[in-house]
Amino acid sequence: MDPFDSNVAANLPRNMIENSMFEEEPDVVDLAKDSAAFPTFPALDPDEVVYEPRSSRLLVRGLGENDMDEDDEDCESSARLLGMSFMNRSSAHRSSSFPYTRQAPPRSCSRPSARTTVVCVLFLVIVASMTMVLYFLPGCTFTKAGCRKTNKTTPFEPVYPLSTNGKLFPWAQFRLPRSVRPLSYDLTLSPDLNNMTFTGRTVITMSVLHNTKIIVLHSAHLNITKATFKLGDQETRDVTVLEYQPRQQIAVQFSEEMKAGQYCVLTLDYSASLSHTYDGFYNSSYIHKDGKKRVLAATQFEPLSARKAFPCFDEPAFKATFLIKISRKPNYMTLSNMPQAKSTQLSNGLMQDEFEKTSVNMSTYLVAFIVADFTPISKNVSETLVSVYSVPEKKEHTDYALYTASKLLEFYNNFFEINYPLKKLDLVAIPDFLAGAMENWGLITFRETTLLVGNQSSPLEKQLVASVIAHELAHQWFGNLVTMSWWNDLWLNEGFATYMQYMSLQKVFPQLDIGNLFLAVRFRALDKDALNSSHAVSTEVNNPEQVEEMFDSVSYEKGASILMMLNAWLPGEQQFRKGIIQYLKQFSGLNTDTEDLWNSLTQVSVSAQHHNVSEMMRSWTSQKGFPLVTVSRKGGQVTLTQEHFLLTSDKATYSSSLWNIPVTYVTDNCSLGHDCIQMFNLKTKSGTLELPESVKWLKLNYKNTGFYIVHYGDEGWAALKDALSSNVHVLTQEDRASLIHNIFALSRLGRVSFYQVLNLLTYMSNETESSPVTEALLQLNVIYRLLDKRQEDSLVSRMKYYILDRFGSLMDKQTWGEEESVSKQELRSALLGSACSLNQENCIQQAKALFKQYDQSNGTSRIPGDLQQVVFTVAAQSNEDWVTLLHMYHTVTYDAEKRKMLRGLASTQDARHIVWILKAGLRGDIIQTQELPLVISTVCNGFAGYLFAWDFIQENWDRLIEKFPLGSYAIQTIINSATSQFSTQAHLDQVQGFFSSLKERGSQMRSVQEALENIRLNQRWMDKNLPTLQKWL
Ligand SMILES: [Zn+2]
């Protein structure tokens, strides 16, 4: 019932706990918990699930049964629970104005007041009356402990909500019943791009798995105009469709049971508006080079929006085949998952395209279709026709994507030993697209920036495109062929695709040097997972908001990190590969959960040492967070101790979690190369390993392939620092970066002083490699920004001199011409970005000169791709150049450059410009609304911007959640960027006050908890470290 982690709830203000408890349809959520396992269909008949009766369960809680501490229960919550049980016991008591949907919670009565007393007395009266009622209720065995058991001979009916037509809706859960299973969908769609509407007909053929009288499926914002039903050989007849909008479900109810083994067909005609957000069947547009607006329609269904385009069983485990027909004007084209089978002229002058029936069973969230006027380029790869589509004038930017997709498709076909199963694969750049890309089977959709690059684009820009393509292609196996049963295991899709994205690029395009980026994202995943508000990789998901929230760094980057750790631990790379081939083959076309993956990997393990992948990996997927390994050494004896690395750590959040950690380490005897790695399995709280006494230092977590942080103790850190000061190359650059990341994290945890951090950084005067430098700059910038926002002016300038002192000479060595190496580009853009943001004169002058040259060249001169961001950001600081940049933003067609211009524009410190750009992003005319999260996060970096942005978010919250779903990655980004730099009590109160006032419009989101936790941590770090900074900077 509690959507929060219980530990988090303990820390929350009272009113937030209550809101979270009562506004999320507590009864229903609880019932849904039991229905997670679904891969094997005939598991249980949900229609026959014996429900714990709502009234009894609520009463047990309300009357103070042991599951809630009496001190924690206040009179209001009990009264409310009782009130709800009254409301729902009998339909006679329901009124259409009060179905049991979300209601505003009554005022808290925990503060004593006259009103409170009245409410509490009233409550006691209600309790007394209820007790009487219950006592005399048949079927309820009344005991001292409450009505715990129902009499089995007269079970309570589950309490059903009301349909829109006032009749009872025959289903009371968030998850659909499993008694009927769809086999195939026949979809006919007729979009009208002039009026932004569409009509549709969906014919669903189903098989009855268990005797039942109902069919329940999803539908959202569809106006169903006609419904017919045919069971087996019987006549087709009209049926009434009931709708329960809060859960986006529709149902058909029959007087007689359908029997297991029967087949039936439901036909639904409907009409709807094309969505004006970024999900469902939505409209999009772009300005053609003739200056006219062109309209198009595209789909984005993951996770819960297929139901907005056609009525369907919209859960990933309901796989079926699809036959799709779409009508269009003759000057448009259509695309869908499968190749086009035929095209027919309709009597109204339109064409109807029919696509082949899908040759595979697939989940609804992977269905896709597009009506547009795009142009393709194509190429045959093995048995598959690969095409890249874009708006016509961007066709010349599609070559790189076609080349990359072809190479990667060949790689995956070989790597997985299963060929991509469809005859065609389209990659389409959509002008309006919120996510980075979407892996629809056979029809992958992208943002223009993640698919289109020019021939002369920089390797860094190509790296982005290649990496998104690699991710989406990996999904054609992980996600599309084998799909998670439910969203709680989203990481099986996303963690895998993320890991494969980096792994495949390292193999196929080593020149793109993707390793540094993967290392950096693993650091960020650790940072986020160190919060108490984090969650287990595999975690319960019981409402739409929680489904959206699964799309976060835990599912993606932590998922990928633990797979990398596992791969490094298994002997030889083939072992891991064999395991996933086994998994893909065994579950091809089916749905799985996490345990299925571990079992497959265990089955192929060769050596006894590695026999139990499940046992090891369960500790990483079933609990949140990760371990801190502390090293203490006495001569040759090294003791390793593990504990939960939890930034917010107090009695309430204490966790005794243990991980099965495949610890790797190297020493000064041998520290570079695979042969130097030594292994130690730390399963218990502590373990001891032996080293020769002569060993001077050891470094754990070789190349940071493990998902843990290491504390070496004062002596251990000092030894490592000495070793690096005399020769940086005693460790790999990944290991150096990992030391830097870990020591900053330990400082945030309070285990090392900031003096120790600065002490380690003294070695950096000899550092020249990208990963350690970018990590150190990033960490120092975080502190610099916090100080800046606290207006600690003297510390800000001292921090600035500290950074310039450490990195100044390296900054001066950077060039401003074209550079081919990816890692040199990464290093240079980080260094020059910092130098210019710290107002280093030389940097500013160079950037201004490049901008001027670019502006005056009429498109003949180019700014190197990796320097564009620095140059545009510097330009945007002057009023005149900001206007010039805005003009360029209007005219430039090349998307990667356009996005950097936008970030430049948003980095302005001019209040008028800040307000303008925030508003423009929300309006979506000049700046696309899809870019608003980017605009907000950039605005928040600057001192002037972050307060404006926070106000803007508060004022426009309702419009924001209209555009971006609650819990979505976009909303997560917005909340995080707006609040992550607050470090005072006043801001904490403000943020807390605002989000708790939102109630069902967002107060329960995990990102809100994360924001509050981050502010408290910032506050704590500042209190503790300001004196150190005063002393040592
Ligand atoms: Zn993905």
Side-chain angles (χ1 to χ4, degrees):
M1 177 168 93
D2 185 354
F4 290 120
D5 179 280
S6 55
N7 291 336
V8 181
N11 273 344
L12 285 176
R14 174 106 218 141
N15 58 342
M16 288 184 79
I17 298 176
E18 286 170 0
N19 293 346
S20 73
M21 283 169 66
F22 299 128
E23 300 205 348
E24 212 32 74
E25 301 162 332
D27 42 353
V28 178
V29 172
D30 239 16
L31 289 172
K33 272 185 193 171
D34 298 324
S35 46
F38 183 37
T40 45
F41 269 89
L44 93 162
D45 183 351
D47 293 357
E48 290 164 10
V49 169
V50 180
Y51 301 116
E52 187 185 0
R54 161 205 284 270
S55 45
S56 128
R57 186 166 55 83
L58 293 173
L59 281 169
V60 169
R61 295 185 56 91
L63 287 172
E65 238 273 321
N66 300 337
D67 64 345
M68 197 180 273
D69 188 327
E70 265 197 352
D71 294 339
D72 289 347
E73 256 299 42
D74 67 15
C75 55
E76 176 208 305
S77 37
S78 304
R80 182 173 174 75
L81 288 163
L82 282 165
M84 288 186 67
S85 68
F86 261 133
M87 292 304 168
N88 293 291
R89 176 164 293 274
S90 146
S91 61
H93 283 118
R94 291 195 201 99
S95 74
S96 55
S97 63
F98 189 52
Y100 75 106
T101 57
R102 299 171 175 175
Q103 305 139 33
R107 288 164 56 92
S108 164
C109 63
S110 48
R111 273 183 231 138
S113 70
R115 188 181 185 143
T116 307
T117 319
V118 173
V119 174
C120 288
V121 167
L122 202 66
F123 157 61
L124 286 172
V125 172
I126 293 172
V127 170
S129 349
M130 278 304 298
T131 312
M132 300 282 286
V133 169
L134 269 175
Y135 187 78
F136 293 109
L137 253 180
C140 169
T141 317
F142 191 74
T143 66
K144 217 177 176 182
C147 186
R148 198 178 287 175
K149 290 177 193 162
T150 53
N151 185 325
K152 280 194 175 129
T153 55
T154 52
F156 282 99
E157 283 286 308
V159 178
Y160 298 115
L162 289 180
S163 310
T164 38
N165 67 359
K167 292 198 175 141
L168 274 189
F169 190 80
W171 188 245
Q173 296 187 42
F174 171 56
R175 300 284 299 273
L176 297 180
R178 290 96 205 266
S179 38
V180 170
R181 177 200 163 169
L183 300 172
S184 67
Y185 291 83
D186 220 323
L187 300 182
T188 309
L189 294 148
S190 312
D192 175 350
L193 298 187
N194 293 333
N195 295 308
M196 294 298 170
T197 56
F198 67 100
T199 57
R201 164 173 285 194
T202 297
V203 183
I204 313 174
T205 305
M206 293 159 283
S207 126
V208 180
L209 299 179
H210 306 281
N211 297 0
T212 183
K213 287 181 177 176
I214 54 169
I215 295 174
V216 184
L217 61 160
H218 289 109
S219 164
H221 314 306
L222 304 177
N223 172 29
I224 295 176
T225 48
K226 183 175 168 58
T228 60
F229 181 74
K230 178 175 162 57
L231 177 65
D233 302 334
Q234 295 173 12
E235 291 278 292
T236 301
R237 57 194 161 107
D238 287 349
V239 285
T240 306
V241 175
L242 300 169
E243 180 169 18
Y244 183 53
Q245 285 176 347
R247 242 177 267 124
Q248 306 186 331
Q249 292 172 349
I250 54 172
V252 184
Q253 198 165 12
F254 307 97
S255 51
E256 282 183 18
E257 259 188 354
M258 299 184 287
K259 302 287 182 224
Q262 284 187 304
Y263 290 89
C264 56
V265 180
L266 180 65
T267 303
L268 298 163
D269 289 306
Y270 57 96
S271 63
S273 295
L274 286 171
S275 162
H276 57 274
T277 56
Y278 297 98
D279 63 334
F281 192 16
Y282 72 95
N283 74 75
S284 170
S285 64
Y286 70 96
I287 306 295
H288 193 257
K289 59 184 166 198
D290 61 15
K292 288 188 187 136
K293 185 170 159 182
R294 296 287 165 91
V295 183
L296 59 111
T299 57
Q300 165 63 38
F301 291 162
E302 193 184 25
L304 307 173
S305 296
R307 63 192 69 172
K308 293 182 180 171
F310 60 99
C312 57
F313 295 76
D314 200 7
E315 293 185 8
F318 285 109
K319 290 189 172 186
T321 59
F322 293 82
L323 193 150
I324 298 172
K325 294 172 215 151
I326 308 177
S327 61
R328 59 171 168 88
K329 281 186 179 168
N331 57 339
Y332 273 80
M333 44 82 70
T334 60
L335 291 170
S336 185
N337 305 80
M338 296 296 286
Q340 202 182 92
K342 61 180 178 192
S343 195
T344 26
Q345 175 99 44
L346 299 177
S347 55
N348 54 8
L350 298 179
M351 302 295 291
Q352 186 183 64
D353 296 336
E354 179 175 334
F355 299 90
E356 290 175 19
K357 182 175 170 175
T358 56
S359 50
V360 283
N361 272 328
M362 63 185 201
S363 306
T364 44
Y365 78 91
L366 292 168
V367 174
F369 32 86
I370 295 170
V371 184
D373 62 346
F374 294 160
T375 49
I377 60 166
S378 305
K379 182 181 177 180
N380 273 307
V381 179
S382 308
E383 309 283 286
T384 307
L385 180 68
V386 182
S387 308
V388 178
Y389 286 82
S390 70
V391 300
E393 69 258 39
K394 292 182 181 171
K395 193 179 173 183
E396 73 234 43
H397 296 160
T398 52
D399 292 343
Y400 182 73
L402 184 62
Y403 166 76
T404 310
S406 307
K407 285 274 175 209
L408 286 165
L409 185 63
E410 273 170 3
F411 171 81
Y412 285 136
N413 277 339
N414 291 327
F415 187 87
F416 296 133
E417 294 181 2
I418 300 171
N419 279 344
Y420 171 76
L422 306 185
K423 283 187 280 184
K424 67 102 176 168
L425 173 66
D426 297 331
L427 297 89
V428 187
I430 312 256
D432 265 316
F433 197 79
L434 186 59
M438 175 61 210
E439 69 265 22
N440 315 301
W441 217 343
L443 182 59
I444 311 178
T445 44
F446 294 78
R447 266 186 186 222
E448 291 186 324
T449 24
T450 54
L451 190 67
L452 307 179
V453 281
N455 286 331
Q456 42 165 327
S457 297
S458 78
L460 261 185
E461 289 164 336
K462 290 180 175 159
Q463 188 198 57
L464 171 75
V465 168
S467 114
V468 178
I469 293 176
H471 180 102
E472 303 310 326
L473 277 190
H475 271 313
Q476 307 301 309
W477 286 263
F478 281 99
N480 299 10
L481 193 62
V482 181
T483 316
M484 77 263 143
S485 294
W486 177 239
W487 301 105
N488 65 321
D489 277 327
L490 178 67
W491 87 277
L492 284 174
N493 273 14
E494 298 304 346
F496 243 107
T498 306
Y499 182 50
M500 289 311 300
Q501 140 193 5
Y502 293 111
M503 195 224 252
S504 63
L505 287 193
Q506 268 163 346
K507 298 239 189 289
V508 184
F509 300 105
Q511 71 278 18
L512 291 178
D513 215 346
I514 197 78
N516 293 343
L517 181 63
F518 189 26
L519 181 64
V521 301
R522 298 203 301 278
F523 289 151
R524 302 294 76 81
L526 284 162
D527 295 346
K528 189 158 172 184
D529 203 26
L531 296 174
N532 196 33
S533 47
S534 186
H535 61 91
V537 166
S538 191
T539 203
E540 224 173 89
V541 173
N542 291 321
N543 65 43
E545 209 171 289
Q546 290 174 352
V547 172
E548 293 282 353
E549 285 189 320
M550 288 305 280
F551 293 78
D552 70 355
S553 73
V554 172
S555 297
Y556 284 70
E557 281 83 23
K558 183 179 180 181
S561 305
I562 61 173
L563 289 171
M564 180 193 210
M565 179 168 68
L566 174 64
N567 193 0
W569 177 66
L570 291 169
E573 200 177 301
Q574 292 310 311
Q575 188 83 359
F576 180 77
R577 185 180 158 209
K578 276 184 201 155
I580 54 177
I581 290 171
Q582 154 93 11
Y583 168 79
L584 288 172
K585 289 195 167 154
Q586 185 179 349
F587 296 105
S588 174
L590 302 175
N591 294 82
T592 56
D593 56 35
T594 299
E595 207 53 37
D596 293 323
L597 174 67
W598 303 147
N599 288 339
S600 294
L601 281 155
T602 304
Q603 278 169 35
V604 298
S605 286
V606 283
S607 73
Q609 186 208 345
H610 296 107
H611 71 282
N612 206 334
V613 176
S614 283
E615 185 196 300
M616 178 181 127
M617 294 310 287
R618 214 177 286 138
S619 72
W620 296 93
T621 50
S622 66
Q623 50 192 1
K624 72 175 176 184
F626 58 86
L628 165 66
V629 176
T630 303
V631 183
S632 65
R633 190 175 165 191
K634 277 204 183 91
Q637 208 177 52
V638 179
T639 306
L640 305 181
T641 316
Q642 64 159 305
E643 66 190 288
H644 188 171
F645 187 104
L646 191 58
L647 286 172
T648 306
S649 189
D650 51 38
K651 253 192 199 156
T653 59
Y654 174 78
S655 104
S656 55
S657 311
L658 285 180
W659 283 262
N660 190 330
I661 316 169
V663 173
T664 51
Y665 61 97
V666 293
T667 69
D668 56 325
N669 286 338
C670 178
S671 58
L672 303 163
H674 208 261
D675 296 341
C676 298
I677 306 172
Q678 304 190 58
M679 299 263 210
F680 182 83
N681 234 36
L682 183 62
K683 291 188 200 177
T684 47
K685 180 80 185 155
S686 65
T688 310
L689 59 94
E690 297 286 337
L691 284 181
E693 293 247 4
S694 60
V695 165
K696 292 197 195 83
W697 51 260
L698 76 163
K699 158 76 178 63
L700 271 64
N701 200 2
Y702 180 69
K703 289 196 169 184
N704 212 86
T705 47
F707 201 71
Y708 55 94
I709 281 179
V710 186
H711 184 16
Y712 296 92
D714 292 351
E715 285 170 25
W717 280 111
L720 283 162
K721 184 229 136 188
D722 289 345
L724 288 173
S725 297
S726 45
N727 177 12
V728 285
H729 299 296
V730 294
L731 288 173
T732 64
Q733 66 151 327
E734 292 92 336
D735 280 319
R736 275 137 47 205
S738 127
L739 288 177
I740 291 167
H741 170 267
N742 284 193
I743 204 161
F744 273 98
L746 288 166
S747 152
R748 201 158 161 81
L749 184 66
R751 292 294 169 93
V752 302
S753 70
F754 199 66
Y755 171 72
Q756 277 175 288
V757 178
L758 296 174
N759 195 34
L760 178 71
L761 294 187
T762 53
Y763 104 83
M764 295 220 69
S765 34
N766 300 322
E767 184 60 84
T768 55
E769 302 262 14
S770 160
S771 282
V773 170
T774 49
E775 184 59 23
L777 280 174
L778 180 140
Q779 297 282 0
L780 290 169
N781 268 325
V782 169
I783 298 170
Y784 179 85
R785 281 204 209 106
L786 280 178
L787 294 170
D788 186 35
K789 307 291 153 66
R790 286 272 283 238
Q791 292 178 284
E792 294 283 351
D793 295 340
S794 104
L795 280 177
V796 168
S797 58
R798 279 149 77 183
M799 184 58 123
K800 173 180 161 180
Y801 287 115
Y802 174 80
I803 296 173
L804 292 177
D805 182 47
R806 277 279 161 276
F807 300 96
S809 66
L810 201 53
M811 287 168 174
D812 290 339
K813 281 186 195 140
Q814 302 309 307
T815 57
W816 292 77
E818 290 290 350
E819 168 63 64
E820 275 309 300
S821 145
V822 169
S823 79
K824 282 187 180 155
Q825 286 196 354
E826 286 166 344
L827 179 70
R828 156 169 107 166
S829 60
L831 283 164
L832 295 178
S834 287
C836 282
S837 77
L838 296 173
N839 273 322
Q840 212 220 15
E841 196 49 38
N842 187 21
C843 184
I844 302 277
Q845 290 313 326
Q846 292 272 14
K848 280 187 170 167
L850 264 182
F851 184 73
K852 196 170 175 193
Q853 194 185 345
Y854 175 73
D855 182 31
Q856 292 173 347
S857 74
N858 249 341
T860 53
S861 119
R862 211 184 98 82
I863 305 168
D866 60 312
L867 295 180
Q868 286 169 357
Q869 192 59 70
V870 182
V871 170
F872 296 146
T873 302
V874 169
Q877 306 313 313
S878 102
N879 195 21
E880 193 184 326
D881 286 346
W882 191 88
V883 177
T884 313
L885 191 61
L886 182 61
H887 181 70
M888 286 177 181
Y889 177 79
H890 277 304
T891 47
V892 74
T893 52
Y894 181 46
D895 297 288
E897 196 172 3
K898 198 173 171 115
R899 211 155 189 250
K900 289 175 204 157
M901 287 174 177
L902 181 62
R903 285 181 66 182
L905 290 166
S907 73
T908 174
Q909 296 296 301
D910 182 314
R912 290 165 309 151
H913 292 155
I914 291 171
V915 172
W916 181 87
I917 201 163
L918 288 169
K919 285 187 175 167
L922 190 60
R923 275 200 319 272
D925 46 4
I926 297 168
I927 293 163
Q928 290 171 300
T929 302
Q930 65 178 11
E931 302 291 14
L932 189 56
L934 177 78
V935 168
I936 290 177
S937 77
T938 313
V939 163
C940 286
N941 282 338
F943 182 78
Y946 91 120
L947 294 177
F948 277 114
W950 172 233
D951 284 348
F952 172 83
I953 289 162
Q954 293 177 82
E955 279 163 24
N956 295 289
W957 183 256
D958 286 341
R959 285 182 71 193
L960 288 173
I961 60 173
E962 232 173 69
K963 303 277 181 191
F964 314 114
L966 275 181
S968 63
Y969 196 71
I971 287 288
Q972 293 174 37
T973 308
I974 289 171
I975 295 177
N976 181 275
S977 26
T979 58
S980 63
Q981 294 174 82
F982 290 144
S983 65
T984 62
Q985 187 63 39
H987 274 138
L988 177 66
D989 294 343
Q990 227 185 71
V991 172
Q992 197 160 310
F994 171 68
F995 283 110
S996 57
S997 77
L998 293 178
K999 309 223 165 78
E1000 77 279 6
R1001 285 148 48 235
S1003 67
Q1004 305 99 325
M1005 282 186 296
R1006 188 179 285 122
S1007 38
V1008 172
Q1009 305 317 309
E1010 193 186 310
L1012 296 174
E1013 196 178 352
N1014 264 323
I1015 301 171
R1016 288 194 192 98
L1017 288 166
N1018 289 344
Q1019 206 180 348
R1020 188 181 81 182
W1021 194 90
M1022 281 290 167
D1023 291 347
K1024 196 168 174 190
N1025 288 292
L1026 279 179
T1028 317
L1029 290 169
Q1030 300 279 9
K1031 191 170 165 193
W1032 293 105
L1033 271 185

